[in-house]
Amino acid sequence: MKISICIPTWEQYGKGVEFLKNNFERILTQTYKNFNVIISDHSKNNDIELLCNFYSDKFEIKYFKNENLYGNGPANTNNTIINADGDIVKIIFQDDFLYQDNALELIVKEFENDECNWLVSGCNHTHDDGQTFSNFMVPHWNDKIVMGVNTISSPSVLSFRNDNPCLFDEELTMLMDCEMYYQLYIRYGLPKIISDYLITNRMHQHQISSLYNKDIWSEITYIKNKYNI
């Protein structure tokens, strides 16, 4: 069973290459080797493409320069999903990384059960580039998740079967993850939850949640109208 690790990328104020390199190094340590990496790059320079070329002899990378809807994170993420050719799609943002060396192995093991269509895993957070870890979190579902009560965490904890997959709503930013989880819930029911901490979310001043200043209530209103709730 092949897993496509889908990573949307951009310059991230000069930190994009550094973050992605660290992400790649953690991918290299994985015990499960039947994977490829799908990159959709919103960068206006070629720094990330050069990094991908450097790592292309270490694992399979499919690199796509994405000049459409520049700055739209959901659209850039969707481009990775659309170009994924694995049996499983594993989302991970460029500034996050795999915490355990057997993360992919544990994910694939769950999908060997035909009843598993999507899953989320435990995660933690780092403020200092992986020297220390805090806020260890095991996800759980709640009925208000589509309204932004996020008890699952970022899209980096998400994996799903690559069979006519759901896509992120490109009208959203802060609630792109919660709305996606709700889409998957409507289609498949509750997620499989892996309690192991498989993902580290990097906390820094240039992460989307720190930069985005649009009123979140406008996104909640949009979701209410979309789902008539």
Side-chain angles (χ1 to χ4, degrees), residues 85-104:
D85 60 358
D87 304 294
I88 303 164
V89 168
K90 171 76 195 94
I91 304 295
I92 185 167
F93 286 172
Q94 75 183 73
D95 49 348
D96 301 331
F97 53 90
L98 297 165
Y99 179 64
Q100 294 188 188
D101 291 346
N102 64 342
L104 297 183

Side-chain angles (χ1 to χ4, degrees), residues 162-218:
N162 192 15
D163 181 12
N164 187 27
C166 293
L167 297 175
F168 290 91
D169 190 317
E170 297 175 5
E171 297 298 320
L172 299 171
T173 301
M174 292 295 289
L175 297 183
M176 64 176 282
D177 46 7
C178 291
E179 193 276 338
M180 178 61 146
Y181 304 150
Y182 191 65
Q183 278 194 65
L184 289 161
Y185 169 72
I186 290 173
R187 183 181 292 189
Y188 299 118
L190 292 172
K192 171 66 181 180
I193 293 175
I194 298 179
S195 58
D196 300 71
Y197 307 114
L198 303 187
I199 293 293
T200 294
N201 294 308
R202 189 192 304 271
M203 311 302 292
H204 58 94
Q205 63 178 332
H206 296 310
Q207 64 193 98
I208 295 298
S209 59
S210 297
L211 297 171
Y212 190 65
N213 56 15
K214 184 178 178 182
D215 184 359
I216 194 172
W217 289 105
S218 65

Side-chain angles (χ1 to χ4, degrees), residues 108-228:
V108 171
K109 183 177 180 180
E110 295 298 335
F111 281 103
E112 290 174 352
N113 182 342
D114 292 339
E115 294 182 1
C116 178
N117 291 295
W118 70 293
L119 65 78
V120 291
S121 70
C123 64
N124 57 33
H125 299 75
T126 183
H127 291 266
D128 54 12
D129 296 333
Q131 301 303 309
T132 59
F133 302 92
S134 61
N135 192 21
F136 286 74
M137 173 183 175
V138 175
H140 67 274
W141 183 262
N142 78 85
D143 291 336
K144 295 182 179 180
I145 202 158
V146 73
M147 294 290 100
V149 182
N150 191 348
T151 51
I152 288 180
S153 192
S154 78
S156 292
V157 306
L158 174 65
S159 305
F160 48 86
R161 289 191 188 276
N162 192 15
D163 181 12
N164 187 27
C166 293
L167 297 175
F168 290 91
D169 190 317
E170 297 175 5
E171 297 298 320
L172 299 171
T173 301
M174 292 295 289
L175 297 183
M176 64 176 282
D177 46 7
C178 291
E179 193 276 338
M180 178 61 146
Y181 304 150
Y182 191 65
Q183 278 194 65
L184 289 161
Y185 169 72
I186 290 173
R187 183 181 292 189
Y188 299 118
L190 292 172
K192 171 66 181 180
I193 293 175
I194 298 179
S195 58
D196 300 71
Y197 307 114
L198 303 187
I199 293 293
T200 294
N201 294 308
R202 189 192 304 271
M203 311 302 292
H204 58 94
Q205 63 178 332
H206 296 310
Q207 64 193 98
I208 295 298
S209 59
S210 297
L211 297 171
Y212 190 65
N213 56 15
K214 184 178 178 182
D215 184 359
I216 194 172
W217 289 105
S218 65
E219 293 200 358
I220 291 175
T221 299
Y222 170 85
I223 287 173
K224 284 182 176 181
N225 291 334
K226 178 176 180 176
Y227 292 104
N228 195 25

